[in-house]
Amino acid sequence: MSNVPGLQLNGAKLLQQIKTLGDIGVDLTQGGRTRIALSDAEKAGRDQVVAWMRELELDIQVDRIGNIFGSLRCASDTGHERPFMMGSHIDTVTNAGALDGCYGVLAGLAVQRAYREAGVLPPRTITVGAFTNEEGVRYQPDMMGSLVYAGGMSVEDALKTVGTDGSRLGDELARIGYAGELVPGAMVPHEYLELHIEQGPILEAENTLIGVVENLQGISWQQVTVKGNANHAGTTPTRLRQDAGYVACAIATELRQLAKSSGTTLATIGCMTFEPNVINVIPRRASFTVDLRDPDESKLLKAEQQLAARLAEIAEEEGVSIETEQLVRFQPVTFDPSLANAIEDSARRFGFSHRRMTSGAGHDAQMIARIAPAAMIFVPSRGGISHNPREHTDDDQLLNGAQVLLDVVQRRLNTPL
Ligand code: HGY
Ligand code: MN
Ligand code: MN
């Protein structure tokens, strides 16, 4: 079945919007852009996406956790049809690239634009979502907006979340003017498709254009706090130390061994602080985060158990106390096989090299998969780099992904329910 006649992707517009959105929150000193969830910079990004949704004359709705939806309704939709949904996020980590999340939201708008520019309405309603706080940098958990949308977290709990800066999420949402009224999850998608950069090295290394994402690995985030005893760096013999800093660093080293011996588990310590954090005082306190991931739930559990056992052991050895707080725990997710097949068929029709793969990163799709059939399309990341100003995907590769997205959407919409 060929594309709907006249339904063409406006690639130039998509690339231009990616660049324009990427310029919002630019950090001239450290590079990249920083649009941490619910910050002024992210508000500016939200305002820009809403303006582009208005240009497309979409039905725009904002829910109580600030998820933004733009719907191109079919002729028969009185506002209650279950839409075909696409989406992702526009919040970023610190000093981020321009593509993570934004590409999927803007490519969704490009699909809706293809119908608008052809002067036709889709046979069924198409909705694009920009989900709140996917990155989880300021407020945990990550993928929060889509998690609330999918019923995995109450909106009340989400709104009262206190951020790493002490702010209350609900206050910040109101401050930036995105505390909407729509009940999260009120609009259950019929299917959900997310286009995203791979953020890893596989597609580029295999010279492959399209990733057909079948599943997504499990994620475990913990905050670990070690309490020892401050003492003089010059007078305290090693055997008499209760050195919180040493314990934190020892665990960091041992986590690398744990990951290497597992073969599939990934372990990352992204944040670490010492107190009093001065050169000649043995740290009395060390606080650090642990990010564990594995596609296999039993191996992720094993890694968590190994860490817990080692923490108890080293606390004993070093005379310190250790507390842990679970910040995030998501099991691995398998995406919808029929949607994955549709992505693969589309890539094949276009003659794009493709391969099935697992997502290493968390995505909103893993949450929406709780309430609707969902899948993802990946395009290559140069050098496998992401969460970094050097994040890059070639323009033609970006347009390949958007072509596949448009093609899959058209075919799914033209398939009788
Ligand atoms: O952490 C993640 O995988 C995602 O970028 N939030
Ligand atoms: Mn992302
Ligand atoms: Mn990200």
Side-chain angles (χ1 to χ4, degrees), residues 88-89 91 99-102 134-135 194 196-197 199 361-364 387:
S88 197
H89 61 96
D91 66 304
L99 298 170
D100 179 359
C102 303
E134 190 277 347
E135 293 294 0
E194 181 165 352
H196 206 287
I197 51 172
Q199 301 180 289
H363 296 288
D364 294 307
H387 285 187

Side-chain angles (χ1 to χ4, degrees), residues 35-95:
R35 291 196 305 270
I36 302 295
L38 312 188
S39 62
D40 290 341
E42 203 235 352
K43 169 184 169 47
R46 285 167 170 263
D47 294 347
Q48 176 60 83
V49 169
V50 168
W52 284 330
M53 287 182 168
R54 282 208 185 92
E55 278 177 15
L56 288 169
E57 297 177 73
L58 303 181
D59 175 9
I60 300 169
Q61 297 166 287
V62 179
D63 74 10
R64 290 186 57 209
I65 194 61
N67 295 321
I68 302 168
F69 300 100
S71 297
L72 177 58
R73 298 199 180 282
C74 63
S76 61
D77 183 0
T78 56
H80 303 291
E81 184 179 289
R82 292 180 65 182
F84 189 103
M85 188 179 283
M86 295 166 283
S88 197
H89 61 96
I90 65 158
D91 66 304
T92 73
V93 296
T94 304
N95 301 122

Side-chain angles (χ1 to χ4, degrees), residues 34 36 43 52 68 99 113 122 165 233 235 255 285 351 365:
T34 299
I36 302 295
K43 169 184 169 47
W52 284 330
I68 302 168
L99 298 170
R113 183 174 301 108
D165 57 0
T235 60
L255 273 175
R285 188 175 185 279

